[in-house]
């Protein structure tokens, strides 16, 4: 195969040629990668749901918003690295690419250690604040503490993936996760069935799997024949590059954190309805997230394609990219949602065969997928703006439209009518408001015109 020729063969030319096949070629492996990441957690929940009971299943599922809160800041900063490298690629600025790659690797590892320490210190208060029931809380705490120990390698994988994606390569992150995902499932079954572990076993399996995927990508970077090749002698933090990464990434990361914080409040409301509703919500979440990753992949494609074309001063092409991503995202997301709804009862039974759990899970899927009618536009408008380096506007829109609405809804409407249906209705309402705000901001700013002639934010 030669010296890492997979890197070159997998790269997509974002600056020339037809947009539709190239965007699909970029987005689908990215969607599959996100789905595989979720399979880590889905495998955890399925194994404990089938072999350790619905309390253990609820304990794992209740941690999803907390884990999102801990991870999202650095996922946002990795998006900043993606945009900086994409701009530099469009400008053919090899020195900037090299500095960003090495800065990203160190930031991911240092940040992972710091957040892991904070997570360990705050694990018990977090579980307590979420209102996890007594029969679930000890297992939820154990799972969270083991999971956060793996944050350094989780952050490293996300930054490595962002590096490859910024150059148009979405296949290598997928290959790495495919291998580690198989390992994760095998370890889940071994720890739970053979060693008789519960949530601690599935958490440990997830950490080991993430270690494998991040190590594989690091080896690819060390041996790469592309501009993103990593050299130990060049590993240092460039302050100018870090500043540009933070300018784009921090608002996105804070947006994700606030988003997760609002979801913790929503999860607390779900927890108040008991273990059955918690288990049903956790199972449905692990199905609906497949459609979300399909939708999100086109938003990320929009960011990277726009980023490279903005760097190359091809601003008219940027507008074509937005239109193409919106259409493709709608088609692929609705197709995925339709398939999941068609087989929803059978898919939910994989996690738990309790008829009541399945019934509540189907209801959640129906309302969440209705909300995706609005969410697909929000994802792509956000991606479009971030491609130009405009990250604050999507963050503000999400804080106002999603987080504000959900917090207000839980503390007012849900308190007046404490039902699962009441909680779920906030999703289409909040996403609809956010999409409206995002579209208004995009029309007012008109970034392709505002930044015409500028490509170094």
């Amino acid at each position: 195969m030669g010296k890492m020729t997979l890197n070159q063969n997998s790269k997509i030319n974002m600056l020339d040629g037809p947009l539709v096949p190239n965007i699909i070629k970029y987005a689908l492996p990215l969607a599959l990668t996100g789905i595989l990441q979720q399979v880590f957690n889905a495998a955890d929940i399925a194994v404990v749901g089938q072999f350790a009971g619905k309390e253990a299943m609820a304990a794992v599922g209740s941690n999803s918003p907390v884990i999102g809160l801990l991870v999202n800041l650095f996922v946002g900063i990795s998006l900043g690295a993606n945009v900086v490298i994409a701009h530099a690629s469009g400008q053919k600025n090899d020195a900037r690419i090299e500095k960003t790659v090495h800065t990203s690797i160190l930031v991911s590892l240092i940040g992972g250690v710091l957040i892991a320490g904070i997570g360990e210190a705050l694990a018990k208060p977090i579980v307590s604040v979420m209102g996890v029931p007594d029969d679930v809380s000890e297992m939820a705490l154990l799972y969270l503490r083991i999971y956060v120990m793996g944050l350094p390698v989780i952050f490293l994988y996300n930054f490595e993936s962002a590096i490859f994606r910024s150059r148009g390569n979405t296949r290598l992150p997928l290959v790495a996760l495919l291998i580690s995902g198989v390992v994760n499932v095998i370890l889940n079954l071994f720890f739970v069935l053979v060693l008789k572990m519960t949530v601690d076993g599935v958490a440990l399996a997830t950490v080991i799997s993430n270690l494998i995927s991040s190590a594989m990508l690091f080896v690819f970077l060390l041996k790469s024949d592309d501009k993103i090749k990593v050299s130990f002698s060049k590993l240092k933090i460039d302050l100018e590059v870090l500043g540009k990464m933070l300018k784009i990434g921090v608002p996105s990361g804070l947006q994700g954190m606030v988003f997760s914080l609002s979801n913790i409040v929503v999860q607390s409301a779900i927890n108040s309805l008991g273990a059955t509703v918690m288990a049903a919500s956790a199972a449905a979440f692990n199905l609906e997230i497949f459609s979300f990753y399909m939708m999100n992949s086109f938003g990320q494609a929009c960011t990277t394609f726009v980023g490279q074309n903005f760097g190359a001063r091809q601003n008219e092409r940027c507008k074509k990219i937005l239109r193409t991503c919106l259409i493709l995202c709608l088609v692929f997301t609705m197709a995925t949602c339709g398939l999941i709804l068609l087989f929803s009862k059978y898919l939910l039974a994989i996690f738990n065969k309790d008829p009541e759990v399945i019934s509540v899970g189907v209801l959640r899927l129906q309302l969440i997928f209705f909300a995706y009618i609005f969410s697909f536009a929000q994802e792509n408008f956000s991606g479009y703006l971030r491609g130009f380096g405009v990250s604050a506007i999507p963050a503000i829109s999400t804080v106002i439209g999603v987080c504000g609405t959900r917090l207000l809804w839980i503390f007012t409407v849900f308190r007046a009518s404490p039902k699962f249906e009441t909680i779920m209705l906030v999703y289409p309402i909040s996403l609809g408001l956010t999409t409206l705000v995002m579209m208004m901001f995009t029309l007012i700013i008109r970034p392709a015109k505002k930044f015409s002639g500028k490509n170094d934010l």
Side-chain angles (χ1 to χ4, degrees):
M1 185 173 64
K3 182 185 177 182
M4 295 304 298
T5 54
L6 183 58
N7 281 1
Q8 297 295 346
N9 293 339
S10 301
K11 283 177 60 178
I12 297 168
N13 185 355
M14 302 183 187
L15 302 177
D16 304 294
L19 286 173
V20 171
N22 280 337
I23 289 174
I24 292 175
K25 184 180 177 182
Y26 182 98
L28 291 187
L30 185 56
L32 288 173
T33 302
I35 289 170
L36 275 176
Q37 284 183 305
Q38 188 55 35
V39 164
F40 284 171
N41 194 43
D44 295 349
I45 292 177
V47 170
V48 296
Q50 294 291 347
F51 303 111
K54 66 182 179 181
E55 288 79 13
M57 178 181 173
V60 175
S62 67
N63 272 299
S64 296
V66 180
I67 290 168
L69 182 66
L70 295 173
V71 171
N72 275 332
L73 176 60
F74 279 83
V75 170
I77 297 174
S78 74
L79 180 61
N82 183 324
V83 174
V84 172
I85 297 174
H87 287 174
S89 297
Q91 298 165 355
K92 302 189 184 303
N93 188 338
D94 295 347
R96 173 68 58 80
I97 294 172
E98 180 183 287
K99 290 177 181 177
T100 307
V101 167
H102 290 87
T103 298
S104 298
I105 297 296
L106 283 180
V107 167
S108 66
L109 291 173
I110 295 171
V113 172
L114 290 175
I115 300 300
I118 294 171
E120 289 290 345
L122 298 180
K124 190 171 184 178
I126 289 173
V127 172
S128 177
V129 167
M130 287 181 63
V132 178
D134 291 341
D135 58 342
V136 176
S137 61
E138 285 191 15
M139 287 187 290
L141 178 60
L142 178 60
Y143 181 87
L144 180 60
R145 280 185 162 156
I146 295 174
Y147 188 98
V148 298
M149 288 194 305
L151 287 179
V153 292
I154 293 172
F155 288 0
L156 178 61
Y157 172 81
N158 279 286
F159 273 81
E160 291 167 335
S161 298
I163 291 168
F164 281 111
R165 291 164 186 162
S166 68
R167 299 287 287 172
N169 187 339
T170 56
R171 284 177 56 191
L172 281 180
L174 173 60
V175 170
L177 265 185
L178 180 61
I179 294 171
S180 61
V182 172
V183 173
N184 184 68
V185 173
I186 293 171
L187 289 179
N188 275 336
L189 295 171
F190 174 74
F191 289 145
V192 174
L193 295 181
V194 178
L195 300 185
K196 305 302 181 183
M197 301 170 73
T198 58
V199 295
D200 51 345
V202 294
L204 184 59
T206 300
V207 171
I208 294 172
S209 301
N210 279 288
L211 175 61
I212 291 171
S213 59
S214 61
M216 288 180 63
L217 288 188
F218 191 74
V219 171
F220 283 135
L221 286 171
L222 287 173
K223 297 183 178 181
S224 175
D225 58 358
D226 194 15
K227 307 298 181 183
I228 58 175
K229 179 181 175 64
V230 167
S231 172
F232 284 106
S233 63
K234 296 178 181 178
L235 280 173
K236 64 179 181 179
I237 294 178
D238 184 282
L239 294 181
E240 180 188 0
V241 165
L242 178 61
K244 293 180 181 295
M245 287 170 49
L246 295 178
K247 178 183 176 183
I248 300 167
V250 168
S252 178
L254 291 176
Q255 169 190 332
M257 290 182 71
V258 176
F259 188 88
S260 295
L261 184 61
S262 69
N263 281 345
I264 288 176
V265 175
V266 174
Q267 184 65 46
S268 297
I270 292 172
N271 293 347
S272 70
L273 300 178
T276 297
V277 173
M278 289 173 68
S281 187
F285 174 82
N286 281 279
L287 296 178
E288 74 202 31
I289 201 70
F290 292 175
S291 291
F292 169 79
Y293 280 124
M294 179 63 71
M295 177 171 56
N296 179 258
S297 69
F298 285 96
Q300 290 194 47
C302 193
T303 294
T304 308
F305 274 72
V306 168
Q308 283 207 16
N309 282 272
F310 172 54
R313 299 178 183 269
Q314 297 184 161
N315 287 359
E316 284 302 312
R317 185 172 169 87
C318 292
K319 291 188 284 187
K320 294 180 182 179
I321 291 167
L322 174 61
R323 291 193 294 268
T324 305
C325 285
L326 281 168
I327 294 170
L328 291 175
C329 184
L330 178 61
V331 171
F332 279 88
T333 302
M334 291 301 102
T336 307
C337 290
L339 285 173
I340 292 174
L341 284 176
L342 183 63
F343 299 102
S344 58
K345 293 183 179 179
Y346 305 102
L347 293 171
L348 289 166
I350 295 172
F351 300 96
N352 194 288
K353 292 183 172 63
D354 187 328
E356 190 175 359
V357 169
I358 293 173
S359 176
V360 175
V362 169
L363 175 62
R364 174 175 173 123
L365 288 173
Q366 291 171 342
L367 290 172
I368 290 293
F369 287 160
F370 174 69
Y372 281 4
I373 294 173
F374 308 105
S375 195
F376 92 94
Q378 182 240 338
E379 286 290 330
N380 283 280
F381 278 107
S382 295
Y384 179 67
L385 292 172
R386 291 192 183 106
F388 289 97
V390 180
S391 191
I393 296 301
I396 293 170
S397 301
T398 300
V399 169
I400 294 172
V402 173
C403 306
T405 302
R406 291 180 186 178
L407 292 174
L408 181 64
W409 184 274
I410 293 300
F411 289 120
T412 56
V413 179
F414 175 70
R415 283 189 176 180
S417 179
K419 301 177 182 178
F420 185 65
E421 295 91 332
T422 306
I423 299 174
M424 290 297 102
L425 282 174
V426 75
Y427 285 94
I429 292 172
S430 60
L431 287 169
L433 288 173
T434 304
T435 301
L436 179 62
V437 173
M438 191 80 68
M439 292 175 67
M440 289 175 58
F441 273 129
T442 305
L443 290 172
I444 292 171
I445 295 175
R446 299 175 67 185
K449 182 176 181 181
K450 179 178 179 181
F451 298 126
S452 180
K454 302 177 182 178
N455 60 6
D456 190 16
L457 297 180

